[in-house]
Amino acid sequence: MRQTLRPLIAANWKMHGDLSWTSKPSDFAAIYPASERGHLDVLICPPATLLASMNDGVLLGGQDCHAAVSGAHTGDVSAEMLKDAGATYVIIGHSERRARGDTNADVNAKAIAATRAGLIPIICVGETENERDAGQAETVVSDQIRASVPDIEAYVIAYEPVWAIGTGKTATPKDVDDMHNAIRAQVGPTVQLLYGGSVKPANATELLALKNVDGALIGGAGLDMESLAAIARAAPKP
Ligand code: 13P
Protein backbone atom coordinates (compact mmCIF):
# COMPACT_ATOMS: atom_id res chain seq x y z
CA MET A 1 0.00 0.00 0.00
CA ARG A 2 1.16 3.53 -0.69
CA GLN A 3 2.25 5.74 2.16
CA THR A 4 -0.30 8.03 3.75
CA LEU A 5 1.99 10.87 4.75
CA ARG A 6 1.18 14.32 3.44
CA PRO A 7 3.25 15.09 0.35
CA LEU A 8 5.78 17.94 0.57
CA ILE A 9 6.93 19.49 -2.71
CA ALA A 10 9.91 21.72 -1.98
CA ALA A 11 11.87 23.99 -4.33
CA ASN A 12 15.45 24.87 -3.40
CA TRP A 13 16.26 27.99 -5.37
CA LYS A 14 19.93 27.84 -4.34
CA MET A 15 21.73 31.09 -5.35
CA HIS A 16 19.14 32.23 -7.87
CA GLY A 17 16.69 35.10 -7.79
CA ASP A 18 16.35 38.82 -7.28
CA LEU A 19 13.54 40.96 -5.85
CA SER A 20 11.47 40.51 -9.00
CA TRP A 21 11.16 36.82 -8.02
CA THR A 22 9.29 37.60 -4.81
CA SER A 23 5.98 37.46 -6.70
CA LYS A 24 6.57 33.85 -7.76
CA PRO A 25 4.48 32.34 -4.91
CA SER A 26 1.44 34.23 -6.16
CA ASP A 27 2.29 33.19 -9.75
CA PHE A 28 2.39 29.61 -8.48
CA ALA A 29 -0.95 30.01 -6.72
CA ALA A 30 -2.48 31.34 -9.94
CA ILE A 31 -1.28 28.24 -11.82
CA TYR A 32 -2.16 25.75 -9.07
CA PRO A 33 -4.71 27.32 -6.70
CA ALA A 34 -4.52 26.53 -2.99
CA SER A 35 -8.12 25.28 -3.11
CA GLU A 36 -6.96 22.39 -5.35
CA ARG A 37 -3.94 21.38 -3.27
CA GLY A 38 -5.28 20.90 0.23
CA HIS A 39 -3.72 17.42 0.23
CA LEU A 40 -0.11 18.60 -0.06
CA ASP A 41 2.34 21.29 1.04
CA VAL A 42 4.34 23.39 -1.40
CA LEU A 43 7.50 25.02 -0.09
CA ILE A 44 9.92 27.46 -1.69
CA CYS A 45 13.37 28.03 -0.17
CA PRO A 46 14.67 31.25 -1.77
CA PRO A 47 17.95 33.03 -1.04
CA ALA A 48 17.78 34.60 2.43
CA THR A 49 17.75 38.09 0.88
CA LEU A 50 14.30 37.44 -0.59
CA LEU A 51 12.63 35.61 2.26
CA ALA A 52 11.00 38.56 4.03
CA SER A 53 9.70 40.03 0.76
CA MET A 54 8.15 36.88 -0.71
CA ASN A 55 4.46 36.97 -1.63
CA ASP A 56 1.88 34.70 -0.04
CA GLY A 57 0.81 31.51 -1.76
CA VAL A 58 3.23 28.80 -0.62
CA LEU A 59 5.23 27.90 2.48
CA LEU A 60 8.72 29.39 2.78
CA GLY A 61 12.02 28.04 4.04
CA GLY A 62 15.71 28.80 4.40
CA GLN A 63 18.56 26.96 2.66
CA ASP A 64 20.92 26.66 5.66
CA CYS A 65 21.32 28.15 9.13
CA HIS A 66 23.99 28.69 11.75
CA ALA A 67 23.70 26.70 14.98
CA ALA A 68 23.86 29.79 17.21
CA VAL A 69 21.01 32.24 17.85
CA SER A 70 23.22 35.25 17.10
CA GLY A 71 26.84 36.33 17.39
CA ALA A 72 30.03 37.17 15.55
CA HIS A 73 29.46 34.90 12.53
CA THR A 74 29.96 37.10 9.49
CA GLY A 75 27.82 36.07 6.55
CA ASP A 76 25.75 33.53 8.44
CA VAL A 77 22.02 33.50 9.20
CA SER A 78 20.46 31.97 12.30
CA ALA A 79 17.37 29.79 12.39
CA GLU A 80 15.68 32.48 14.48
CA MET A 81 16.37 35.05 11.73
CA LEU A 82 14.86 32.76 9.10
CA LYS A 83 11.79 32.23 11.27
CA ASP A 84 11.51 35.98 11.80
CA ALA A 85 11.62 36.48 8.00
CA GLY A 86 8.75 34.06 7.39
CA ALA A 87 10.33 30.60 7.15
CA THR A 88 8.68 27.48 8.53
CA TYR A 89 11.33 25.03 7.24
CA VAL A 90 15.08 25.10 6.72
CA ILE A 91 17.23 22.85 4.54
CA ILE A 92 20.20 21.49 6.50
CA GLY A 93 23.20 19.50 5.28
CA HIS A 94 22.63 19.92 1.55
CA SER A 95 25.51 18.23 -0.28
CA GLU A 96 26.59 21.64 -1.59
CA ARG A 97 27.05 22.72 2.08
CA ARG A 98 28.62 19.41 3.10
CA ALA A 99 31.11 19.83 0.21
CA ARG A 100 32.11 23.16 1.75
CA GLY A 101 32.81 21.66 5.15
CA ASP A 102 29.56 20.89 6.99
CA THR A 103 30.14 17.67 8.95
CA ASN A 104 27.44 15.38 10.29
CA ALA A 105 28.03 17.00 13.70
CA ASP A 106 27.44 20.47 12.18
CA VAL A 107 24.26 19.24 10.53
CA ASN A 108 23.11 17.76 13.83
CA ALA A 109 23.71 21.06 15.65
CA LYS A 110 21.93 23.03 12.93
CA ALA A 111 18.92 20.71 13.11
CA ILE A 112 18.74 21.31 16.87
CA ALA A 113 18.94 25.06 16.17
CA ALA A 114 16.12 24.81 13.65
CA THR A 115 13.92 23.03 16.19
CA ARG A 116 14.82 25.59 18.85
CA ALA A 117 13.62 28.35 16.50
CA GLY A 118 10.38 26.55 15.67
CA LEU A 119 11.44 25.52 12.16
CA ILE A 120 11.23 22.02 10.70
CA PRO A 121 14.67 20.94 9.44
CA ILE A 122 14.89 19.17 6.08
CA ILE A 123 17.99 17.08 6.65
CA CYS A 124 19.75 16.11 3.42
CA VAL A 125 21.69 12.90 2.94
CA GLY A 126 23.09 11.11 -0.10
CA GLU A 127 25.99 9.12 -1.44
CA THR A 128 28.57 10.07 -4.08
CA GLU A 129 28.87 8.18 -7.36
CA ASN A 130 32.03 6.42 -6.12
CA GLU A 131 30.25 5.28 -2.98
CA ARG A 132 27.35 3.93 -5.02
CA ASP A 133 29.69 2.16 -7.45
CA ALA A 134 31.41 0.56 -4.45
CA GLY A 135 28.07 -0.79 -3.22
CA GLN A 136 28.13 1.46 -0.13
CA ALA A 137 25.16 3.72 -0.85
CA GLU A 138 22.83 2.41 1.87
CA THR A 139 25.59 2.25 4.49
CA VAL A 140 26.73 5.80 3.74
CA VAL A 141 23.19 7.16 3.96
CA SER A 142 22.29 5.29 7.14
CA ASP A 143 25.54 6.48 8.77
CA GLN A 144 24.74 10.07 7.74
CA ILE A 145 21.26 9.79 9.22
CA ARG A 146 22.55 8.26 12.46
CA ALA A 147 25.09 11.06 12.91
CA SER A 148 23.20 14.06 11.57
CA VAL A 149 19.68 13.57 12.92
CA PRO A 150 19.38 14.68 16.55
CA ASP A 151 16.75 13.42 18.97
CA ILE A 152 13.98 15.76 17.79
CA GLU A 153 10.33 15.15 17.10
CA ALA A 154 9.71 16.83 13.76
CA TYR A 155 12.05 16.63 10.80
CA VAL A 156 12.08 15.71 7.13
CA ILE A 157 14.74 13.64 5.37
CA ALA A 158 15.73 14.49 1.80
CA TYR A 159 17.60 11.73 -0.01
CA GLU A 160 19.67 13.42 -2.69
CA PRO A 161 22.27 11.21 -4.37
CA VAL A 162 25.13 13.64 -5.02
CA TRP A 163 25.68 12.36 -8.55
CA ALA A 164 22.04 13.11 -9.49
CA ILE A 165 22.06 16.78 -8.43
CA GLY A 166 22.03 19.20 -11.33
CA THR A 167 23.30 16.53 -13.70
CA GLY A 168 20.10 15.42 -15.41
CA LYS A 169 20.90 11.91 -14.15
CA THR A 170 18.06 10.66 -11.96
CA ALA A 171 18.39 7.60 -9.80
CA THR A 172 16.26 4.80 -11.21
CA PRO A 173 12.89 4.28 -9.52
CA LYS A 174 14.28 0.95 -8.24
CA ASP A 175 17.30 2.68 -6.64
CA VAL A 176 15.06 5.33 -5.06
CA ASP A 177 12.59 2.70 -3.89
CA ASP A 178 15.32 0.57 -2.29
CA MET A 179 16.92 3.54 -0.56
CA HIS A 180 13.66 5.02 0.68
CA ASN A 181 12.54 1.66 2.05
CA ALA A 182 15.84 1.39 3.93
CA ILE A 183 15.50 4.95 5.28
CA ARG A 184 11.90 4.27 6.30
CA ALA A 185 13.03 1.22 8.29
CA GLN A 186 15.59 3.41 10.04
CA VAL A 187 13.51 6.51 10.87
CA GLY A 188 10.04 5.05 11.38
CA PRO A 189 6.61 5.71 9.87
CA THR A 190 6.02 9.40 10.56
CA VAL A 191 9.01 11.13 8.95
CA GLN A 192 8.39 12.53 5.47
CA LEU A 193 11.02 11.27 3.00
CA LEU A 194 11.76 13.47 -0.01
CA TYR A 195 13.71 12.47 -3.10
CA GLY A 196 15.94 15.08 -4.75
CA GLY A 197 18.18 14.99 -7.81
CA SER A 198 17.05 16.07 -11.29
CA VAL A 199 13.34 15.81 -10.49
CA LYS A 200 11.39 17.17 -13.49
CA PRO A 201 7.76 17.13 -14.61
CA ALA A 202 8.67 14.21 -16.91
CA ASN A 203 9.87 11.91 -14.11
CA ALA A 204 7.87 13.20 -11.13
CA THR A 205 4.84 10.93 -11.47
CA GLU A 206 6.95 7.78 -11.42
CA LEU A 207 9.11 8.91 -8.49
CA LEU A 208 6.27 10.31 -6.38
CA ALA A 209 4.28 7.09 -6.82
CA LEU A 210 6.89 5.09 -4.90
CA LYS A 211 5.69 3.80 -1.56
CA ASN A 212 8.10 5.67 0.70
CA VAL A 213 8.59 8.80 -1.37
CA ASP A 214 6.55 11.51 0.36
CA GLY A 215 7.64 14.40 -1.82
CA ALA A 216 10.50 15.99 -3.70
CA LEU A 217 13.30 18.48 -3.16
CA ILE A 218 13.70 20.22 -6.49
CA GLY A 219 16.53 22.40 -7.75
CA GLY A 220 16.50 23.58 -11.38
CA ALA A 221 12.90 22.66 -12.17
CA GLY A 222 11.71 24.57 -9.10
CA LEU A 223 12.82 27.92 -10.49
CA ASP A 224 9.98 27.91 -13.02
CA MET A 225 6.48 28.00 -11.53
CA GLU A 226 4.89 26.09 -14.42
CA SER A 227 7.26 23.17 -13.94
CA LEU A 228 7.04 23.32 -10.14
CA ALA A 229 3.25 23.19 -10.45
CA ALA A 230 3.45 20.25 -12.86
CA ILE A 231 5.59 18.36 -10.33
CA ALA A 232 3.25 19.25 -7.46
CA ARG A 233 0.26 18.03 -9.48
CA ALA A 234 2.06 14.69 -9.90
CA ALA A 235 1.98 14.07 -6.13
CA PRO A 236 -0.60 11.41 -5.39
CA LYS A 237 -3.40 12.15 -2.95
CA PRO A 238 -2.79 10.20 0.27
P1 13P B 1 18.36 19.55 -9.23
O1 13P B 1 16.88 19.30 -9.16
O2 13P B 1 18.71 20.78 -10.02
O3 13P B 1 19.12 18.34 -9.62
O4 13P B 1 18.84 19.91 -7.71
C1 13P B 1 18.46 19.07 -6.69
C2 13P B 1 18.82 19.71 -5.41
O5 13P B 1 19.99 19.85 -5.07
C3 13P B 1 17.74 20.21 -4.54
O6 13P B 1 18.21 20.53 -3.27
Side-chain angles (χ1 to χ4, degrees), residues 182-198:
I183 298 173
R184 172 67 69 219
Q186 186 176 6
V187 302
T190 59
V191 178
Q192 288 164 306
L193 307 182
L194 313 185
Y195 170 76
S198 299

Side-chain angles (χ1 to χ4, degrees), residues 47-113:
T49 49
L50 304 186
L51 205 45
S53 310
M54 295 283 282
N55 272 356
D56 284 343
V58 300
L59 297 171
L60 298 175
Q63 297 179 8
D64 185 35
C65 68
H66 195 280
V69 178
S70 61
H73 303 292
T74 302
D76 277 318
V77 175
S78 73
E80 281 75 6
M81 291 169 176
L82 295 172
K83 171 89 175 170
D84 186 44
T88 51
Y89 288 81
V90 59
I91 298 167
I92 307 282
H94 192 280
S95 64
E96 289 154 16
R97 303 296 330 169
R98 290 181 185 265
R100 298 189 59 184
D102 275 19
T103 62
N104 285 328
D106 294 326
V107 176
N108 191 300
K110 290 178 179 195
I112 290 172

